[in-house]
Amino acid sequence: MVPTQADHWRLGDIVVLRIGSAAAAHVAIYAGGGYFVHSAEHLGVVKVPGLTKGRPATGTWGFPCPPGCHPGPPPLTPADCKAVVYPHGSGAYGEVIHAADGLPLARTAVLSSEAHVIDLLDPIYTHIETVR
């Protein structure tokens, strides 16, 4: 994670914001034009214009979109995607791709087994394939 400012965020970047002196921060995906996709306990996954509700962010950090990945065409939903699980060393990792054109959108970290990757992706994506 690296310190970033809003003018450096790109589509698909994971952004972490701290508001005021709170110890916790909020994590979201930057959707462009000042909008974020994030999960709210009472609303589920939503796209909103900003996360600070008028309060200044006292810290911002980001995880840039991984090289070779793209934010995908808007509006993008999990139903538009396919998850593929690949072996890697003694574990596995997952890659989410746009089902229509194969465009890579995101990757998981390398986990200890295919089963762990599938457990991570299964609540989100209905189509998961494994490559051996």
Side-chain angles (χ1 to χ4, degrees), residues 94-105:
E95 184 172 78
V96 177
I97 63 173
H98 187 250
D101 60 15
L103 185 68
L105 304 170

Side-chain angles (χ1 to χ4, degrees), residues 3-130:
T4 59
Q5 298 299 318
D7 57 347
H8 291 102
W9 296 335
R10 297 178 313 133
L11 284 172
D13 285 357
I14 296 174
V15 177
V16 180
L17 297 119
R18 177 170 289 138
I19 310 300
S21 61
H26 191 79
V27 178
I29 300 170
Y30 187 62
Y35 281 81
F36 296 87
V37 175
H38 77 111
S39 176
E41 287 182 12
H42 61 289
L43 298 173
V45 177
V46 294
K47 182 176 177 181
V48 295
L51 297 170
T52 65
K53 297 181 182 173
R55 300 167 290 173
T58 55
T60 57
W61 303 269
F63 291 100
C65 189
C69 290
H70 306 277
L76 188 64
T77 69
D80 300 319
C81 301
K82 175 171 53 173
V84 182
V85 180
Y86 296 95
H88 186 277
S90 61
Y93 70 94
E95 184 172 78
V96 177
I97 63 173
H98 187 250
D101 60 15
L103 185 68
L105 304 170
R107 289 185 198 110
T108 69
V110 176
L111 301 177
S112 61
S113 69
E114 285 183 5
H116 284 115
V117 177
I118 292 169
D119 287 346
L120 176 72
L121 298 172
D122 188 51
I124 303 167
Y125 302 101
T126 56
H127 188 88
I128 300 175
E129 296 179 1
T130 57

